[in-house]
Structures are given as structure tokens and as C-alpha cells.
């Protein structure tokens, strides 16, 4: 597993921190929780006030693919209007925002991954995002095993989508074990410098 030639690491982006508390997620209806159960992950309160975290239910070997970071695929224009407020919202953007509010889903922008080509994976909506949204930050190479996951980006072959009437490039972000990890361990990865920039 690795980056395709000429591709850099995906960047998790955040332009400011949320000013309101995070919404509650209903485990009985959330795709995030269903994907966790499927992949052998348990969502539990994390230590040190980090909110919820993703914990292994079985031992895994170094290099194991733990899951795929999934969510809505947004364009740069959508991200600029919906999160960064650098572009005026369209009618579709307002419908999106109202849907999130109605379903008690967050609108912070803290779950965005820039995958290039002006495309982003938005993992904030727990109704359509995988458990990977619950993985917390740990600094890399800090002398502990806290940073035990890396994010690997793969671009799949372009395909023709009849509904969209065109060629669709698909981007995938996989969470991979950096080391052998024991059951009960919280899964954490380095969010990267872009995440912490608040400009």
C-alpha cells in the first residue's frame, strides 16, 4: 500500500474550530456505527477529553487495512460555500445545510480530507460516513505507540457513471496499521499541519 507516483499525502483540512458543541449521534441509525461493527471497531469515550474514539476489538498485524475513510464527496466550490464561507451559498448548499440541521449532523468542516483535483471527502455526516471519522489525533514519532495508524490514498480507475452521465474519478482513503495493534487499543493518526491551521 502506498501513494501513487506523483501523489502526495491526503490532507485533512480545517479552517477554524467549531463554535458550537458537537451533535449527538444515534448509534441505532448511524452508518458510522454500523461500519465500526462490521470492521471490528468499537466507538467509545476516548481518554483526555477527546470525545469519542475508535477502539479495536481484535488484534491486528502491522500493515492491516483497518477501514476506509468515507463520506460525502464535495467539490472545492461546495466546501468554500458550506464550510469556509469564501463563496456565496447556492440553493443546493442551503438545502444541504438544512438537511444536516434537521438530522442533527454537524457543520464544522473538521472532517474534510483534500484528495486533490478540487475534491474532498467529508466525513462529518455520521449517516453516510464510516467509523474512521472517530479516529483521534496523535503526533507522529513522539516516542509512544499512540500514533498507530496511517492514512493511505489510492485513486481508482475512472469509470463511466450512467446517473452522472460522465467519467467519475474515485478517491479512496484507507486507514492502515503502522504497527501490530492489540485489541482494546484506541486508533489514532496524525491529522497533519493543515488541520491545525486556523487561517
Amino acid at each position: 500500500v502506498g501513494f501513487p507516483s506523483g501523489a502526495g499525502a491526503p490532507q485533512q483540512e480545517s479552517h477554524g474550530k467549531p463554535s458550537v458543541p458537537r451533535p449527538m449521534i444515534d448509534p441505532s441509525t448511524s452508518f458510522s456505527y454500523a461500519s465500526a461493527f462490521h470492521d471490528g471497531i468499537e466507538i467509545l469515550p476516548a481518554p483526555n477529553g477527546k470525545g469519542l474514539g475508535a477502539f479495536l476489538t481484535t488484534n491486528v498485524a502491522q500493515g492491516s487495512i483497518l477501514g476506509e475513510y468515507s463520506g460525502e464527496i464535495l467539490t472545492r466550490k461546495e466546501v468554500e460555500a458550506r464550510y469556509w464561507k469564501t463563496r456565496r451559498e447556492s440553493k443546493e448548499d442551503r438545502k444541504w445545510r438544512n438537511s444536516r440541521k434537521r438530522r442533527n449532523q454537524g457543520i464544522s468542516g473538521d472532517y474534510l480530507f483534500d484528495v486533490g483535483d478540487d475534491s474532498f471527502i467529508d466525513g462529518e455526516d455520521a449517516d453516510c460516513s464510516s467509523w474512521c471519522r472517530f479516529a483521534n489525533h496523535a503526533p507522529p514519532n513522539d516516542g509512544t505507540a499512540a500514533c498507530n495508524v496511517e492514512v493511505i490514498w489510492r485513486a481508482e480507475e475512472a469509470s463511466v457513471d450512467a446517473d452522472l452521465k460522465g467519467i467519475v474519478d474515485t478517491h479512496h482513503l484507507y486507514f492502515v496499521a503502522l504497527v501490530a495493534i492489540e485489541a482494546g487499543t484506541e486508533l489514532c493518526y496524525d491529522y497533519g499541519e493543515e488541520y491545525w491551521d486556523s487561517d
Side-chain angles (χ1 to χ4, degrees), residues 56-127:
L56 279 177
T57 60
T58 61
N59 297 339
V60 298
Q62 179 180 4
S64 298
I65 295 177
L66 305 169
E68 180 178 359
Y69 191 95
S70 64
E72 287 182 88
I73 305 300
L74 301 178
T75 65
R76 178 166 294 281
K77 288 181 180 180
E78 289 169 327
V79 169
E80 288 172 349
R82 296 174 184 184
Y83 289 121
W84 300 343
K85 307 297 184 209
T86 58
R87 183 181 294 275
R88 186 177 169 158
E89 280 188 337
S90 69
K91 182 178 178 180
E92 287 303 312
D93 296 325
R94 288 188 295 279
K95 284 171 64 175
W96 173 89
R97 181 176 301 284
N98 289 336
S99 170
R100 285 270 180 107
K101 288 180 180 178
R102 218 176 21 259
R103 294 178 299 108
N104 196 30
Q105 298 296 319
I107 310 172
S108 69
D110 286 347
Y111 297 84
L112 289 174
F113 266 99
D114 182 351
V115 292
D117 299 329
D118 288 334
S119 297
F120 294 80
I121 298 176
D122 180 6
E124 188 153 6
D125 186 337
D127 289 345

Side-chain angles (χ1 to χ4, degrees), residues 29-44:
T29 61
S30 164
F31 177 75
S32 296
Y33 278 85
S35 71
F37 178 78
H38 178 268
D39 288 347
I41 305 295
E42 193 169 15
I43 307 304
L44 300 169

